Each structure stands twice: as C-alpha cells, then as structure tokens.
C-alpha cells in the first residue's frame, strides 16, 4: 500500500463537512480555513516519540487519543476552543491492524471535541507523531503565563499526581491484574482529559493559566518566572484522588502531586475579588476546582511549600525536563 492509499484509508473520512471554518481539508497542498470575526487563533504543536513519551507496545488507540489530548490541553490552558489539528506521522512500517486502531482512537477524541483533522504528513522511520492543534480565542481575552498578580489565588482543576502514579503502576506492576483503584490511575495516565470546557469558562474570571504537563511545581514555576512573582502552595490542600491515597503512602502521593507530570489539569489564578463569583459558577457548572495557594510577592520567583501553616522543604527534583 502506498502513502496515498494509507492516508485515504485511515485519515480521510467520507463525511460531509458542514462547518464554515474549514474550506479545504485533506487532499490539496494545503488546508484552507477561516477564523471567525473578532477571534484570534491559538496554535500549539507537540511531538510524541516512541521510547521517550510512550512504550512501543502501547495500544495505538490510546496513543492517538493521548497525542490529541495533550495538544487540546495546551489550547484549554489558553482558554481557546479547539477547532483543527494536523498530524505528522512517522511509521516504521505499514501495519494495518495498528493503523486501524490508531485511526479509531484519533477520530474518537476529535469527534468528542468537534475538532477537524485538516492535514498532515506521512513518512517512514522511527515511530513518532507530531500534532499541531489550532483553536479560537475571543479577541481581548485569553489565559497567559505572564498575567499572575500578587494576592491572586492559585487553583488546580482536578486531582494531581494520578498520572505519575499510573505510570509507576505500568512500569512496576504490583500484581498480574489491576484492581479498580489501579485501573483508575492507569486510565488517568493513558487517557487524560483536556480541560477544554473549564478553560473557556475561565476567560471571564482568570487571565492566567498553564496546563500541568511536567508537574505542578515545574509548571507553576513557569507562571512565576513569566509573571515575576512568588507563590505559596498549601500541601494539605492538594487534591488527591481516593485511588492514589489507597495505593500509595501519603508522602508518595504528595510527591507525585507536586512533581509528577502528565496530569493535564489546569493550574490557574483567580483574583481575590472574583473568587465568590468563580466558585458559584463552578457549582452551577458542576465542576470541581481546588484552591491550593496564592501568589505572594512581586519578585524572587520562588515557591514556598506550607503544611498546616508551617514551611516545609521543596522536593529535590521538581519536574520533568528532557535535557536535564
Ligand atoms: P505534499 O506532498 O503536498 O506534502 P502529501 O502527499 O504529504 O502532500 O499529503 C497529501 C495530503 O494528505 C495533504 O493534504 C496532507 O495534508 C494530507 N496528509 C498526509 N498525511 C496525513 C496524515 N497522516 N493525516 C492527515 N492528513 C495527511
Ligand atoms: Mg507531505
């Protein structure tokens, strides 16, 4: 099977495109799209490389799902509405079973978020995939790393550390079968939920967010350096799932929550005078977010950890960095 047959079989769907923002999708030299009036385009790219980001025996549907999810998570962290993705896929060989599962996982998440695959590239080589995702942000709005302000409250959009715990279970299984808590942690690692709905709702309350891909401390420190401020995090307020508390000691769970990557929850700031309105909105929308600390001073760019009001030391390694 040639490259074009492969693209036709697995990446082109014969459905009618009834959306006005895509004039031309897969098939020509370029896709042609339309940004609606009074909106801006947010664009992000992420690459997943076999043996670095995932193991070769990963289920291809899970791989496709996660590759899209991590890109949609970046859009969510800007408050953007995801609309289009392109996919550059490098494959060692044309494996129909693999491609068929991959394509199913891909279109499952694209349909969930109403996102269109508008193009890509297909090449032969060591397995890797690069996704570029694009979404709309209303003009004059957006969530930016440089917009945290002194006295803002710091929130997390969901349980922290689950993904790192899930990866730990994958790498060091405790038994031949997973119990339900372990299964939950694995799913949090394999199929993270990009917080797209929350990201859009945040536009009315927040100006600053980041998605937690490298660990809470590592990603929060990006906000601090871009905004030139410091933060306090209350360790006893970190949201921990029931599953992580069942499967790991308290200190291990806290360590995963502070330093574990790939939760793809949002970490964002809310000005004090918007907290009540924000919390009311969460109730109406039936969303859970957790206040875990605050922005403290306009300098220094460091993080102070508190436990029951007392300062405790930072973990030695604060997050994942490819070149460290
Ligand atoms: P070109 O030679 O102009 O780069 P290609 O032959 O690589 O074009 O691709 C043909 C068409 O198929 C293009 O519209 C391209 O965007 C699309 N395409 C190629 N690979 C993929 C893929 N993996 N997923 C989606 N679209 C793809
Ligand atoms: Mg090409």
């Amino acid at each position: 099977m040639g490259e074009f047959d492969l693209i036709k079989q697995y990446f082109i769907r014969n459905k009618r495109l009834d959306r006005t923002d895509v004039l031309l999708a897969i098939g020509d030299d370029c896709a042609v799209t339309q940004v609606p009036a009074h909106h801006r385009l947010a664009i992000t790219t992420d690459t997943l490389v076999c043996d670095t980001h995932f193991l070769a025996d990963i289920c291809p549907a899970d791989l496709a799902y996660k590759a899209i999810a991590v890109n949609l998570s970046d859009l969510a962290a800007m408050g953007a509405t995801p609309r289009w993705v392109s996919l550059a896929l490098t494959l060692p060989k044309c494996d129909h079973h693999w491609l068929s599962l991959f394509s199913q996982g891909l279109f499952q998440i694209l349909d969930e978020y109403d996102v269109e695959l508008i193009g890509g590239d297909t090449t032969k080589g060591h397995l890797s995939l690069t996704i570029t995702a694009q979404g709309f942000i209303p003009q004059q709005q957006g969530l930016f790393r440089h917009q945290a302000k002194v006295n803002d409250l710091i929130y997390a959009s969901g349980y922290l550390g689950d993904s790192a715990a899930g990866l730990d279970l994958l790498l060091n299984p405790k038994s031949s079968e997973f119990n339900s808590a372990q299964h939950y942690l694995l799913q949090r690692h394999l199929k993270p939920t990009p917080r797209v709905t929350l990201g859009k709702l945040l536009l009315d309350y927040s100006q600053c967010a980041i998605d937690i891909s490298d660990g809470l401390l590592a990603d929060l420190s990006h906000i601090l350096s871009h905004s030139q401020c410091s933060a306090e995090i209350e360790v006893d307020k970190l949201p921990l799932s029931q599953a992580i508390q069942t499967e790991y000691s308290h200190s291990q769970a806290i360590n995963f929550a502070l330093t574990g990557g790939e939760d793809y929850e949002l970490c964002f700031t809310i000005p004090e005078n918007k907290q009540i309105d924000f919390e009311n909105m969460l109730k109406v929308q039936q969303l859970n977010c957790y206040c875990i600390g605050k922005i403290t001073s306009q300098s220094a760019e460091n993080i102070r950890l508190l436990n029951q009001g007392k300062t405790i030391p930072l973990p030695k390694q604060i997050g994942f960095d490819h070149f460290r």
Side-chain angles (χ1 to χ4, degrees), residues 140-153:
Q140 320 301 344
Q141 287 191 306
L143 309 171
F144 303 98
R145 294 180 185 191
H146 65 271
Q147 294 277 31
K149 303 274 166 10
V150 174
N151 292 328
D152 281 359
L153 300 158

mmCIF file with all atom_site columns, all heavy atoms in Angstrom, residues 140-153:
data_model
loop_
_atom_site.group_PDB
_atom_site.id
_atom_site.type_symbol
_atom_site.label_atom_id
_atom_site.label_alt_id
_atom_site.label_comp_id
_atom_site.label_asym_id
_atom_site.label_entity_id
_atom_site.label_seq_id
_atom_site.pdbx_PDB_ins_code
_atom_site.Cartn_x
_atom_site.Cartn_y
_atom_site.Cartn_z
_atom_site.occupancy
_atom_site.B_iso_or_equiv
_atom_site.pdbx_formal_charge
_atom_site.auth_seq_id
_atom_site.auth_comp_id
_atom_site.auth_asym_id
_atom_site.auth_atom_id
_atom_site.pdbx_PDB_model_num
ATOM 1   N N   . GLN A 1 140 ? -9.313  40.101 22.722 1.00 0.00 ? 140 GLN A N   1
ATOM 2   C CA  . GLN A 1 140 ? -9.175  40.767 24.044 1.00 0.00 ? 140 GLN A CA  1
ATOM 3   C C   . GLN A 1 140 ? -9.277  39.799 25.215 1.00 0.00 ? 140 GLN A C   1
ATOM 4   O O   . GLN A 1 140 ? -9.303  40.226 26.355 1.00 0.00 ? 140 GLN A O   1
ATOM 5   C CB  . GLN A 1 140 ? -10.210 41.889 24.277 1.00 0.00 ? 140 GLN A CB  1
ATOM 6   C CG  . GLN A 1 140 ? -10.530 42.772 23.104 1.00 0.00 ? 140 GLN A CG  1
ATOM 7   C CD  . GLN A 1 140 ? -9.313  43.501 22.565 1.00 0.00 ? 140 GLN A CD  1
ATOM 8   O OE1 . GLN A 1 140 ? -8.273  43.590 23.222 1.00 0.00 ? 140 GLN A OE1 1
ATOM 9   N NE2 . GLN A 1 140 ? -9.402  44.015 21.340 1.00 0.00 ? 140 GLN A NE2 1
ATOM 10  N N   . GLN A 1 141 ? -9.376  38.503 24.962 1.00 0.00 ? 141 GLN A N   1
ATOM 11  C CA  . GLN A 1 141 ? -9.386  37.573 26.091 1.00 0.00 ? 141 GLN A CA  1
ATOM 12  C C   . GLN A 1 141 ? -8.247  36.577 25.944 1.00 0.00 ? 141 GLN A C   1
ATOM 13  O O   . GLN A 1 141 ? -7.533  36.582 24.950 1.00 0.00 ? 141 GLN A O   1
ATOM 14  C CB  . GLN A 1 141 ? -10.721 36.832 26.162 1.00 0.00 ? 141 GLN A CB  1
ATOM 15  C CG  . GLN A 1 141 ? -11.862 37.712 26.636 1.00 0.00 ? 141 GLN A CG  1
ATOM 16  C CD  . GLN A 1 141 ? -13.100 36.899 26.947 1.00 0.00 ? 141 GLN A CD  1
ATOM 17  O OE1 . GLN A 1 141 ? -13.569 36.138 26.126 1.00 0.00 ? 141 GLN A OE1 1
ATOM 18  N NE2 . GLN A 1 141 ? -13.636 37.071 28.139 1.00 0.00 ? 141 GLN A NE2 1
ATOM 19  N N   . GLY A 1 142 ? -8.078  35.707 26.950 1.00 0.00 ? 142 GLY A N   1
ATOM 20  C CA  . GLY A 1 142 ? -7.037  34.685 26.873 1.00 0.00 ? 142 GLY A CA  1
ATOM 21  C C   . GLY A 1 142 ? -6.389  34.489 28.224 1.00 0.00 ? 142 GLY A C   1
ATOM 22  O O   . GLY A 1 142 ? -6.479  35.347 29.102 1.00 0.00 ? 142 GLY A O   1
ATOM 23  N N   . LEU A 1 143 ? -5.772  33.327 28.397 1.00 0.00 ? 143 LEU A N   1
ATOM 24  C CA  . LEU A 1 143 ? -5.109  32.976 29.659 1.00 0.00 ? 143 LEU A CA  1
ATOM 25  C C   . LEU A 1 143 ? -3.620  32.896 29.381 1.00 0.00 ? 143 LEU A C   1
ATOM 26  O O   . LEU A 1 143 ? -3.200  32.066 28.568 1.00 0.00 ? 143 LEU A O   1
ATOM 27  C CB  . LEU A 1 143 ? -5.642  31.634 30.154 1.00 0.00 ? 143 LEU A CB  1
ATOM 28  C CG  . LEU A 1 143 ? -7.175  31.509 30.235 1.00 0.00 ? 143 LEU A CG  1
ATOM 29  C CD1 . LEU A 1 143 ? -7.577  30.066 30.534 1.00 0.00 ? 143 LEU A CD1 1
ATOM 30  C CD2 . LEU A 1 143 ? -7.726  32.454 31.295 1.00 0.00 ? 143 LEU A CD2 1
ATOM 31  N N   . PHE A 1 144 ? -2.840  33.759 30.038 1.00 0.00 ? 144 PHE A N   1
ATOM 32  C CA  . PHE A 1 144 ? -1.421  33.853 29.708 1.00 0.00 ? 144 PHE A CA  1
ATOM 33  C C   . PHE A 1 144 ? -0.545  33.654 30.938 1.00 0.00 ? 144 PHE A C   1
ATOM 34  O O   . PHE A 1 144 ? -0.899  34.104 32.030 1.00 0.00 ? 144 PHE A O   1
ATOM 35  C CB  . PHE A 1 144 ? -1.123  35.227 29.090 1.00 0.00 ? 144 PHE A CB  1
ATOM 36  C CG  . PHE A 1 144 ? -1.964  35.509 27.878 1.00 0.00 ? 144 PHE A CG  1
ATOM 37  C CD1 . PHE A 1 144 ? -3.110  36.272 27.973 1.00 0.00 ? 144 PHE A CD1 1
ATOM 38  C CD2 . PHE A 1 144 ? -1.619  34.967 26.648 1.00 0.00 ? 144 PHE A CD2 1
ATOM 39  C CE1 . PHE A 1 144 ? -3.901  36.519 26.856 1.00 0.00 ? 144 PHE A CE1 1
ATOM 40  C CE2 . PHE A 1 144 ? -2.408  35.205 25.528 1.00 0.00 ? 144 PHE A CE2 1
ATOM 41  C CZ  . PHE A 1 144 ? -3.550  35.980 25.626 1.00 0.00 ? 144 PHE A CZ  1
ATOM 42  N N   . ARG A 1 145 ? 0.599   33.042 30.727 1.00 0.00 ? 145 ARG A N   1
ATOM 43  C CA  . ARG A 1 145 ? 1.506   32.762 31.846 1.00 0.00 ? 145 ARG A CA  1
ATOM 44  C C   . ARG A 1 145 ? 1.988   34.041 32.533 1.00 0.00 ? 145 ARG A C   1
ATOM 45  O O   . ARG A 1 145 ? 2.354   33.995 33.698 1.00 0.00 ? 145 ARG A O   1
ATOM 46  C CB  . ARG A 1 145 ? 2.729   31.985 31.355 1.00 0.00 ? 145 ARG A CB  1
ATOM 47  C CG  . ARG A 1 145 ? 2.384   30.609 30.863 1.00 0.00 ? 145 ARG A CG  1
ATOM 48  C CD  . ARG A 1 145 ? 3.607   29.854 30.379 1.00 0.00 ? 145 ARG A CD  1
ATOM 49  N NE  . ARG A 1 145 ? 3.188   28.581 29.808 1.00 0.00 ? 145 ARG A NE  1
ATOM 50  C CZ  . ARG A 1 145 ? 4.006   27.593 29.485 1.00 0.00 ? 145 ARG A CZ  1
ATOM 51  N NH1 . ARG A 1 145 ? 5.316   27.729 29.670 1.00 0.00 ? 145 ARG A NH1 1
ATOM 52  N NH2 . ARG A 1 145 ? 3.536   26.471 28.985 1.00 0.00 ? 145 ARG A NH2 1
ATOM 53  N N   . HIS A 1 146 ? 2.014   35.146 31.815 1.00 0.00 ? 146 HIS A N   1
ATOM 54  C CA  . HIS A 1 146 ? 2.602   36.355 32.397 1.00 0.00 ? 146 HIS A CA  1
ATOM 55  C C   . HIS A 1 146 ? 1.587   37.206 33.155 1.00 0.00 ? 146 HIS A C   1
ATOM 56  O O   . HIS A 1 146 ? 1.901   38.303 33.581 1.00 0.00 ? 146 HIS A O   1
ATOM 57  C CB  . HIS A 1 146 ? 3.275   37.190 31.300 1.00 0.00 ? 146 HIS A CB  1
ATOM 58  C CG  . HIS A 1 146 ? 2.309   37.728 30.277 1.00 0.00 ? 146 HIS A CG  1
ATOM 59  N ND1 . HIS A 1 146 ? 1.960   37.027 29.146 1.00 0.00 ? 146 HIS A ND1 1
ATOM 60  C CD2 . HIS A 1 146 ? 1.603   38.880 30.251 1.00 0.00 ? 146 HIS A CD2 1
ATOM 61  C CE1 . HIS A 1 146 ? 1.096   37.736 28.450 1.00 0.00 ? 146 HIS A CE1 1
ATOM 62  N NE2 . HIS A 1 146 ? 0.855   38.867 29.100 1.00 0.00 ? 146 HIS A NE2 1
ATOM 63  N N   . GLN A 1 147 ? 0.375   36.698 33.339 1.00 0.00 ? 147 GLN A N   1
ATOM 64  C CA  . GLN A 1 147 ? -0.685  37.550 33.900 1.00 0.00 ? 147 GLN A CA  1
ATOM 65  C C   . GLN A 1 147 ? -1.036  37.268 35.354 1.00 0.00 ? 147 GLN A C   1
ATOM 66  O O   . GLN A 1 147 ? -2.069  37.738 35.836 1.00 0.00 ? 147 GLN A O   1
ATOM 67  C CB  . GLN A 1 147 ? -1.962  37.396 33.059 1.00 0.00 ? 147 GLN A CB  1
ATOM 68  C CG  . GLN A 1 147 ? -1.855  37.918 31.642 1.00 0.00 ? 147 GLN A CG  1
ATOM 69  C CD  . GLN A 1 147 ? -2.096  39.415 31.565 1.00 0.00 ? 147 GLN A CD  1
ATOM 70  O OE1 . GLN A 1 147 ? -1.798  40.150 32.507 1.00 0.00 ? 147 GLN A OE1 1
ATOM 71  N NE2 . GLN A 1 147 ? -2.615  39.867 30.449 1.00 0.00 ? 147 GLN A NE2 1
ATOM 72  N N   . ALA A 1 148 ? -0.206  36.510 36.078 1.00 0.00 ? 148 ALA A N   1
ATOM 73  C CA  . ALA A 1 148 ? -0.495  36.303 37.509 1.00 0.00 ? 148 ALA A CA  1
ATOM 74  C C   . ALA A 1 148 ? -0.168  37.579 38.277 1.00 0.00 ? 148 ALA A C   1
ATOM 75  O O   . ALA A 1 148 ? 0.803   38.268 37.959 1.00 0.00 ? 148 ALA A O   1
ATOM 76  C CB  . ALA A 1 148 ? 0.328   35.140 38.049 1.00 0.00 ? 148 ALA A CB  1
ATOM 77  N N   . LYS A 1 149 ? -1.003  37.902 39.291 1.00 0.00 ? 149 LYS A N   1
ATOM 78  C CA  . LYS A 1 149 ? -0.820  39.140 40.065 1.00 0.00 ? 149 LYS A CA  1
ATOM 79  C C   . LYS A 1 149 ? -0.746  38.802 41.555 1.00 0.00 ? 149 LYS A C   1
ATOM 80  O O   . LYS A 1 149 ? -1.380  37.835 42.003 1.00 0.00 ? 149 LYS A O   1
ATOM 81  C CB  . LYS A 1 149 ? -2.014  40.085 39.831 1.00 0.00 ? 149 LYS A CB  1
ATOM 82  C CG  . LYS A 1 149 ? -2.262  40.434 38.361 1.00 0.00 ? 149 LYS A CG  1
ATOM 83  C CD  . LYS A 1 149 ? -1.410  41.618 37.941 1.00 0.00 ? 149 LYS A CD  1
ATOM 84  C CE  . LYS A 1 149 ? -1.292  41.872 36.450 1.00 0.00 ? 149 LYS A CE  1
ATOM 85  N NZ  . LYS A 1 149 ? -2.087  41.205 35.499 1.00 0.00 ? 149 LYS A NZ  1
ATOM 86  N N   . VAL A 1 150 ? -0.025  39.648 42.304 1.00 0.00 ? 150 VAL A N   1
ATOM 87  C CA  . VAL A 1 150 ? 0.099   39.438 43.747 1.00 0.00 ? 150 VAL A CA  1
ATOM 88  C C   . VAL A 1 150 ? -1.296  39.335 44.377 1.00 0.00 ? 150 VAL A C   1
ATOM 89  O O   . VAL A 1 150 ? -2.202  40.090 44.009 1.00 0.00 ? 150 VAL A O   1
ATOM 90  C CB  . VAL A 1 150 ? 0.898   40.592 44.389 1.00 0.00 ? 150 VAL A CB  1
ATOM 91  C CG1 . VAL A 1 150 ? 0.909   40.462 45.920 1.00 0.00 ? 150 VAL A CG1 1
ATOM 92  C CG2 . VAL A 1 150 ? 2.304   40.601 43.850 1.00 0.00 ? 150 VAL A CG2 1
ATOM 93  N N   . ASN A 1 151 ? -1.434  38.390 45.301 1.00 0.00 ? 151 ASN A N   1
ATOM 94  C CA  . ASN A 1 151 ? -2.691  38.102 46.027 1.00 0.00 ? 151 ASN A CA  1
ATOM 95  C C   . ASN A 1 151 ? -3.705  37.279 45.230 1.00 0.00 ? 151 ASN A C   1
ATOM 96  O O   . ASN A 1 151 ? -4.753  36.911 45.770 1.00 0.00 ? 151 ASN A O   1
ATOM 97  C CB  . ASN A 1 151 ? -3.383  39.363 46.570 1.00 0.00 ? 151 ASN A CB  1
ATOM 98  C CG  . ASN A 1 151 ? -2.563  39.992 47.678 1.00 0.00 ? 151 ASN A CG  1
ATOM 99  O OD1 . ASN A 1 151 ? -1.884  39.270 48.413 1.00 0.00 ? 151 ASN A OD1 1
ATOM 100 N ND2 . ASN A 1 151 ? -2.577  41.302 47.758 1.00 0.00 ? 151 ASN A ND2 1
ATOM 101 N N   . ASP A 1 152 ? -3.429  36.998 43.968 1.00 0.00 ? 152 ASP A N   1
ATOM 102 C CA  . ASP A 1 152 ? -4.302  36.059 43.238 1.00 0.00 ? 152 ASP A CA  1
ATOM 103 C C   . ASP A 1 152 ? -4.285  34.706 43.952 1.00 0.00 ? 152 ASP A C   1
ATOM 104 O O   . ASP A 1 152 ? -3.251  34.294 44.493 1.00 0.00 ? 152 ASP A O   1
ATOM 105 C CB  . ASP A 1 152 ? -3.781  35.807 41.805 1.00 0.00 ? 152 ASP A CB  1
ATOM 106 C CG  . ASP A 1 152 ? -4.130  36.931 40.847 1.00 0.00 ? 152 ASP A CG  1
ATOM 107 O OD1 . ASP A 1 152 ? -4.786  37.900 41.257 1.00 0.00 ? 152 ASP A OD1 1
ATOM 108 O OD2 . ASP A 1 152 ? -3.713  36.821 39.666 1.00 0.00 ? 152 ASP A OD2 1
ATOM 109 N N   . LEU A 1 153 ? -5.417  34.015 43.900 1.00 0.00 ? 153 LEU A N   1
ATOM 110 C CA  . LEU A 1 153 ? -5.476  32.656 44.446 1.00 0.00 ? 153 LEU A CA  1
ATOM 111 C C   . LEU A 1 153 ? -5.058  31.672 43.362 1.00 0.00 ? 153 LEU A C   1
ATOM 112 O O   . LEU A 1 153 ? -5.309  31.904 42.173 1.00 0.00 ? 153 LEU A O   1
ATOM 113 C CB  . LEU A 1 153 ? -6.896  32.372 44.907 1.00 0.00 ? 153 LEU A CB  1
ATOM 114 C CG  . LEU A 1 153 ? -7.330  33.368 45.992 1.00 0.00 ? 153 LEU A CG  1
ATOM 115 C CD1 . LEU A 1 153 ? -8.835  33.463 46.081 1.00 0.00 ? 153 LEU A CD1 1
ATOM 116 C CD2 . LEU A 1 153 ? -6.702  32.986 47.324 1.00 0.00 ? 153 LEU A CD2 1
#
